[in-house]
Every structure is written in C-alpha cells, then in structure tokens.
Amino acid sequence: MKFLGTISHMSNSGKLIARSSKTPHFGALIFDKNKKKIGKIANIFGPTKNPYISVRLFKSINLNKYSNSESDNLYVAVNSKKKERKSRKMK
C-alpha cells in the first residue's frame, strides 16, 4: 500500500473527496489508516500535480465515521504483479 492523500470532505452524493499527491488508477482499492478496505476510486479531477480523488465507499462502511474525519490519511493498493495477456498464434 502507498500513501494516497488526505480526506477533504464528504460530497452530497455520499462519496469521499480526498486530495492526492499522485494520480492513481481508476477503480483502485482504497484503505484507511487501519488497513481496512473502504472503497474504490470513482473519479479523478482537478490539477494534474495534486488531483482530487472521489472515492465510492462500500455499502458496509459507516458514512458517519468518515464524514467527520477530515485530514485522515488514505492509502491505495499497489498491484505488484501485472497480468500478462496471452497472445493468440495466428495461422
């Protein structure tokens, strides 16, 4: 896991908005400071150097816990092994 950024606020649609130091991949898993999965990246917007990240929280996550916890750290999953595509042999 790598440090992603800090929580800015909760949007009206129930998504968590965070300020990031790097641009992560869409759909990457997001973890809290206790290494618990909390959601996936839904959108990336803003400036390219320090973008904002919209995180769609899982249904099992309590929204009230993160709505009041501004400036908490978030972490992103890092895939160490990339999946290789098998190529078909053309005859």
Side-chain angles (χ1 to χ4, degrees), residues 33-76:
K33 60 185 175 186
N34 299 325
K35 298 181 181 179
K36 180 181 176 186
K37 282 192 241 184
I38 61 169
K40 288 186 175 184
I41 294 179
N43 199 0
I44 302 171
F45 55 95
T48 55
K49 288 188 179 182
N50 292 320
Y52 287 97
I53 309 297
S54 172
V55 178
R56 183 181 44 209
L57 298 174
F58 294 136
K59 291 181 182 180
S60 61
I61 301 298
N62 185 3
L63 294 176
N64 295 330
K65 179 180 178 185
Y66 294 101
S67 63
N68 298 328
S69 61
E70 290 184 12
S71 74
D72 275 356
N73 292 334
L74 295 177
Y75 300 89
V76 65

Side-chain angles (χ1 to χ4, degrees), residues 6-12 15-18 52 66-67 70:
T6 56
I7 298 173
S8 286
H9 62 280
M10 182 72 76
S11 70
N12 291 339
K15 292 182 181 166
L16 200 62
I17 306 298
Y52 287 97
Y66 294 101
S67 63
E70 290 184 12

